[in-house]
Amino acid sequence: MGSAVLGKAISAIRDWSISEASTTSGSQAAEVFGSLVFNDQVQQARLPKGVYQALRRTMTQGEALDVSAADAIAKAMKEWAVEHGATHYTHWFQPLTGITAEKHDSFLSPTGDGKAVAEFSGKELIRGEPDASSFPSGGMRSTFEARGYTAWDPTSPPWLLYSGGAVTLVIPTAFVSWTGEALDKKTPLLRSMEALSKQAVRVLKLFGSSAERVVTTCGPEQEYFLIDRYFFLARPDLINAGRTLFGAKPPKGQELEDQYFGAIPDRVMAFMSEVESELYKVGVPVKTRHNEVAPSQYEIAPVFENANVATDHQMMTMETMRRTAPKYGLACLMHEKPFAGVNGSGKHLNWSISDNEGHNLLSPGANPHDNMQFLVFCTAVVRAVNKWQGLLRAAIASAGNDHRLGANEAPPAIISIFLGDMLTDIFEQIEKGGARSTKHGGELDTGVLVLPKLPRDAGDRNRTSPFAFTGNKFEFRAVSSNQSIAYPNIALNIAVTESLDDIAGELEKAVKGGKSLDKAVAELLPKLIKENKRIIFNGNNYSKEWEKEAGKRGLLNLKNTVEALPQMISKEVIGLFEKYKVLNGREVHARCEIMVETYNKTVNVEGQLMVLMADRYILPAAFEYQKQVAQSVSAVKSAGGKSVEGRKTLDAFTKLTDEFKRRTDKLRHALGHEGASSEKHAKHFRDVVVPAMASLRDAGDELELMIPHESWPLPTYREMLFIK
Ligand code: ADP
Ligand code: MG
């Protein structure tokens, strides 16, 4: 069976030709970019001037939109969509599952005379009512009404989805219950951005800035694998769990390091081009593509945008990749660890904040005054990550990411910050009060802090850090490849909000008390650095020494999801969410509950799949081979000979097969557990089921190396990763 699958895959690969690709050349790219988006240009051209201005105010200043404006926008939007062939619209939202949800409604309304007209009112644009009872709410709706509604998020532009010959107007929305509780990821993200803006503006005011708003910016780098679809379809584990649950290490893995940034294979390039072209059309500014470290692993990254739009665009990117891959005979794997023994996939969340005048607040300035402001914001992030490390860790916790964090190749489970030598040195000087006092420019008379001009790319590269300063932004690298970036964004936003609130309070008090801002900053920073510097680590995050050192520093080392998730519902974290009105206690608990349940369901599905594959794929193959060896031994015997090695092989193989069967039964039994609560259930999965899976896999992978290739029922790592 294995060889039949392999044969098909190989002929598909052989027969594939580049002409199938629909690529967008460079000059076309500029033309098609945003062509399917109801963007600023379209809005300006199609909306009455007053309505356009009202919408801009909503988008940039968060002003509410009135009904008549909404009606006018809906009308223009519908006309534009229908001209492009759209027949339906959908309120697109991000429920608490990992994916996006959409329900399509037709524009058509019957007119009574057997005809129909295309209609779409402001009310329909602004509010929708999906039947939401099947979405997880973490218990939030059970005590209230079961219904939820979707509300248009005017800060993220609608676009047209072309799929299966149909055209649909997609309207990004938030999803809330009738009692106003957030049932999605967008609502708290928007609230967290608002909270951060408020506190950041307070700090900016102290520095004499006239900025009125601050936005979170974000550029997520997505890692993924592409393998031939025939291989994918022949692996029940890939289809249902997104990762291989069995699979012996191939003779060649990634040790030759001949893949990273290497030439991209034709078929993969064709896939990438189509993905990029589709994304350009819907306004996603994808920019870079390259081979990653593991064989058949790649990366796609956009130009950074407002974090809310970037989050929508990231979901669209994943969706487009999944949808496009089969056209090229490929399967796109976004799991954190599809293959054991080679690198897993992450999503680097590049994060910064910038004011409405376009200044990146984490960019070192050109003069000491700007640098002082930069250092205040930078210190705020350092403080935030130190103080809220538990929340940040919890925000990236999942069964999939457990295979990455703490393994010897991805960021460890310990959250720390890489600042780079230069910045670390400056921090050390400031802590010692060593930054020299001189006059600067006459205006800041005390001039206590004189900082060197910082080079643009002050952050050198450290690939082992979970959270790195990279010149003018921070890069949260421990984020997982499969997850929405909403949570890590929210966690970072509120952690930094709290820091800025604290810092603004201190500085305002000092300035009110008659101190110059320079002096106030010069007094505050050393204190903050002293309190929070334990989080800074520039060395090798994979080393055993770091684990020890981090322990001495009192940093959290939460090795798995079950350990990490309680951090999300600590008293302090709930207080943090509530203080900045991002989520209330119930909403936080609901999210944590869903994350625990998702962990349980994921491990359960994987365990069940392993039992299925053991019973129905691997054991039959093992018994068959056992019979063959036994027959060969007895054939030799009846011919009067003695097969010494044959006998040994039979004994060893029989022993291994028996062991494999025992371990299968053990896992089967472990999966029968009933948890008293989801937390207890999760502990059982972690402590009993996950180890039982690992031990079954060991035996299965050993069998794979003994059973003849043509009777092995699954595509192997060597084939999946290297035949392209
Ligand atoms: P890397 O070496 O990590 O690939 P890049 O400079 O290519 O670094 O940037 C990676 C990502 O960081 C890109 O998506 C980019 O748009 C994003 N990025 C750059 N500046 C910012 C910023 N100010 N805020 C958020 N993301 C940013
Ligand atoms: Mg990066």
Side-chain angles (χ1 to χ4, degrees), residues 14-30:
R14 184 199 56 213
D15 297 341
W16 186 84
S17 91
I18 192 89
S19 63
E20 290 172 35
S22 93
T23 60
T24 303
S25 70
S27 59
Q28 270 177 313

Side-chain angles (χ1 to χ4, degrees), residues 500-547:
L500 289 171
D501 186 0
D502 182 77
I503 289 172
E506 294 275 343
L507 294 179
E508 281 164 0
K509 199 167 76 195
V511 170
K512 222 183 203 165
K515 277 191 190 135
S516 72
L517 179 67
D518 268 28
K519 195 154 168 44
V521 171
E523 282 174 10
L524 181 61
L525 287 191
K527 185 173 127 282
L528 290 178
I529 292 169
K530 199 169 282 143
E531 285 167 7
N532 296 289
K533 67 176 176 185
R534 64 172 184 165
I535 200 78
I536 300 170
F537 179 65
N538 293 331
N540 178 6
N541 285 256
Y542 300 162
S543 69
K544 273 276 153 233
E545 295 80 62
W546 168 233
E547 207 176 329

Side-chain angles (χ1 to χ4, degrees), residues 217-221 301-304 350-352 360 461 472-473 475:
T217 55
C218 148
E221 302 165 55
V303 176
F304 69 93
N350 293 274
W351 179 97
S352 189
N360 178 353
R461 294 294 183 223
N472 58 1
K473 62 186 188 286
E475 192 171 330

Side-chain angles (χ1 to χ4, degrees), residues 219 221 299 348-350 461 463 470 473 475 477:
E221 302 165 55
E299 181 184 294
H348 294 176
L349 180 64
N350 293 274
R461 294 294 183 223
R463 299 208 129 249
T470 48
K473 62 186 188 286
E475 192 171 330
R477 297 199 180 116

Side-chain angles (χ1 to χ4, degrees), residues 192-380:
S192 73
M193 289 171 70
E194 203 51 49
L196 177 56
S197 172
K198 216 184 251 168
Q199 300 307 328
V201 165
R202 260 176 85 195
V203 173
L204 284 177
K205 285 235 149 48
L206 286 162
F207 281 90
S209 159
S210 55
E212 285 166 358
R213 288 176 76 81
V214 164
V215 294
T216 316
T217 55
C218 148
E221 302 165 55
Q222 173 78 50
E223 292 177 337
Y224 60 97
F225 282 82
L226 284 176
I227 62 166
D228 191 90
R229 193 163 142 84
Y230 279 109
F231 295 145
F232 173 81
L233 293 175
R235 300 259 341 186
D237 46 3
L238 283 180
I239 295 178
N240 285 315
R243 73 179 180 103
T244 53
L245 299 165
F246 289 102
K249 196 176 176 308
K252 178 180 190 290
Q254 65 185 46
E255 48 281 281
L256 292 181
E257 296 174 340
D258 52 356
Q259 150 91 4
Y260 191 52
F261 276 42
I264 299 171
D266 274 359
R267 186 160 60 142
V268 171
M269 185 66 107
F271 158 84
M272 288 174 168
S273 298
E274 176 160 341
V275 165
E276 286 164 9
S277 139
E278 289 310 302
L279 289 171
Y280 282 150
K281 290 184 204 159
V282 292
V284 181
V286 280
K287 185 158 185 279
T288 54
R289 49 160 108 115
H290 60 76
N291 278 2
E292 261 299 330
V293 175
S296 292
Q297 190 187 29
Y298 310 93
E299 181 184 294
I300 180 170
V303 176
F304 69 93
E305 300 176 279
N306 161 320
N308 173 40
V309 176
T311 302
D312 286 354
H313 282 172
Q314 220 287 310
M315 297 309 285
M316 290 156 70
T317 301
M318 290 202 285
E319 193 45 47
T320 304
M321 285 162 62
R322 279 198 198 100
R323 227 198 345 248
T324 307
K327 285 200 204 171
Y328 295 91
L330 297 165
C332 182
L333 309 177
M334 247 143 341
H335 192 281
E336 293 75 17
K337 194 78 179 174
F339 303 99
V342 297
N343 275 10
S345 298
K347 188 138 56 196
H348 294 176
L349 180 64
N350 293 274
W351 179 97
S352 189
I353 40 181
S354 73
D355 68 20
N356 62 321
E357 293 165 359
H359 306 115
N360 178 353
L361 304 179
L362 292 173
S363 189
N367 60 56
H369 175 77
D370 290 350
N371 271 343
M372 194 161 81
Q373 181 188 305
F374 159 73
L375 281 169
V376 167
F377 279 100
C378 198
T379 307

